[in-house]
Amino acid sequence: MESHALDSLDFHTARALLEWQVELGATEACLDAPVNRYETPKAAPKPKVQAEAPAPVTRPKVDPVAIAREAAGGAKTLDDLRAAMGRFDHCNLKKGARNLVFSDGNPAARVMLIGEAPGRDEDREGKPFVGRAGHLLDKMFGAIEMGRTVPLSAQSIYITNVLPWRPPQNRDPEAEEIAMLKPFLERHVEIVAPEVIVLMGNIACQAVLGRKGITRLRGNWQEAFGKPVLPMFHPAYLLRQPSAKREAWADLLSLQAKLRDLA
Ligand code: URA
C-alpha cells in the first residue's frame, strides 16, 4: 500500500489493515522508497535568519542658534536669562565647565564690558575677570575712577563675556560656539541697556562687530546693538605686552570723554 494512501486513513482502519498484513505473513514495514538506516542524518539546515536592516534613525534637526534665540527671547530679567543659559544644552563647552559665568558688577552701570570667555579662575569662582587679567582690568578702570563694586551707576561697570563657559585649555572659542551663544549676549545687552559698550579683545570684536584685528580696531568708536561701542586691548594681552598700556590708557580717556558727552 502506498504510504500517501495510508496518510488519509483513520487510526482503526490503518490498524485493521496492518493486522491483516501481519496475518498474511508480513514481518517488516516497508516504504515505497528504500531507506538507508546507517546514514547519519544530515543536520537540519539552520533556518536563515534574515538580519533585519535597522530602521533609519531620523533625528530631528536641531538649530542651536534658533533654540538659543527662543530661550533668550523669553527672558525678561537677568535672573531669567541666567536660568535660560543654564538650561541651554547645545554647547559642548558646558560639559567641561564647572560653572556658568554670567556676569559681575552693577547692572545699572552706564558701561557694559564684554570679554571673551572664562579662564580657570573664573570657571572656579563663577565670576568673570577674577584672575590676573581681571586684576589688571580693575586697576585700569580704577584709574578713571570706575569699578565693578562702585554702587553709583555713573561710575560703575557691568561685566560679561561672549561665552559663559570656559573653553578647554583656554583655546579660542569656535565660530559655531560664538554664533549659538550670541542670542544670549544680545538679550543680555537689551536687558542691561547700557549707554556704552567696551569690547575687550579680538573675540569680543568678532562676536559683536563680526571683525577681528584689535590693533586697528582699538580706540575707534563703532556702533553695535544701537549703541556706541569701543574696542580695547584685552587685559591679558596687556599683561604680555605692557608697552600697549599706553594705547589702553588713551582708550580709557576716550571712554571717559564719551560718557561726559552723553551725560
Ligand atoms: N578673560 C576674559 O575674556 N574673560 C574673563 O572672564 C576672564 C579672562
Side-chain angles (χ1 to χ4, degrees):
M1 184 168 291
E2 284 187 26
S3 61
H4 58 85
L6 286 170
D7 287 345
S8 55
L9 297 178
D10 68 77
F11 170 77
H12 298 285
T13 313
R15 186 184 172 126
L17 281 172
L18 196 58
E19 282 171 355
W20 179 68
Q21 287 186 356
V22 172
E23 260 176 49
L24 288 179
T27 54
E28 225 177 314
C30 302
L31 295 173
D32 293 338
V35 174
N36 180 357
R37 295 187 191 280
Y38 295 101
E39 195 178 77
T40 50
K42 280 196 192 123
K46 283 194 187 147
K48 275 190 194 156
V49 180
Q50 196 129 55
E52 261 185 39
V57 183
T58 47
R59 289 184 213 288
K61 273 221 162 123
V62 292
D63 176 356
V65 179
I67 293 170
R69 205 173 289 131
E70 199 178 334
K76 301 267 178 296
T77 64
L78 290 176
D79 283 346
D80 289 348
L81 187 66
R82 183 200 289 260
M85 289 169 84
R87 287 191 298 267
F88 184 73
D89 283 331
H90 299 277
C91 179
N92 281 338
L93 295 178
K94 183 181 181 184
K95 294 183 193 141
R98 289 193 198 186
N99 276 304
L100 179 142
V101 177
F102 185 68
S103 72
D104 197 20
N106 183 356
R110 295 179 73 194
V111 179
M112 179 167 181
L113 262 61
I114 301 177
E116 178 180 326
R120 193 193 49 193
D121 298 318
E122 291 77 19
D123 180 45
R124 201 176 284 153
E125 288 194 34
K127 271 190 190 178
F129 283 104
V130 291
R132 277 185 72 221
H135 289 144
L136 177 57
L137 181 126
D138 286 336
K139 273 200 205 163
M140 288 162 62
F141 282 83
I144 55 165
E145 293 173 341
M146 297 187 87
R148 63 174 105 184
T149 55
V150 181
L152 261 181
S153 61
Q155 288 173 323
S156 54
I157 56 175
Y158 181 78
I159 309 172
T160 192
N161 282 310
V162 171
L163 302 183
W165 296 292
R166 181 192 184 198
Q169 276 85 46
N170 297 343
R171 66 151 168 79
D172 277 355
E174 287 166 9
E176 207 187 10
E177 292 160 349
I178 294 176
M180 73 171 81
L181 290 159
K182 186 153 177 210
F184 293 110
L185 182 64
E186 283 168 349
R187 188 73 190 122
H188 210 152
V189 173
E190 275 172 10
I191 295 173
V192 173
E195 283 178 51
V196 165
I197 294 173
V198 176
L199 302 176
M200 310 297 313
N202 256 329
I203 299 297
C205 289
Q206 186 191 347
V208 173
L209 304 173
R211 272 186 291 161
K212 274 184 167 182
I214 192 64
T215 314
R216 291 206 178 171
L217 287 169
R218 62 137 284 277
N220 292 307
W221 285 91
Q222 314 278 325
E223 202 185 294
F225 308 114
K227 296 174 190 301
V229 168
L230 179 65
M232 283 185 66
F233 282 136
H234 193 287
Y237 173 75
L238 297 175
L239 287 172
R240 297 193 300 270
Q241 288 292 329
S243 61
K245 285 182 183 170
R246 181 196 294 261
E247 282 99 338
W249 175 238
D251 297 345
L252 287 169
L253 295 180
S254 173
L255 171 66
Q256 206 175 33
K258 176 69 91 184
L259 290 170
R260 217 178 291 130
D261 287 352
L262 291 172

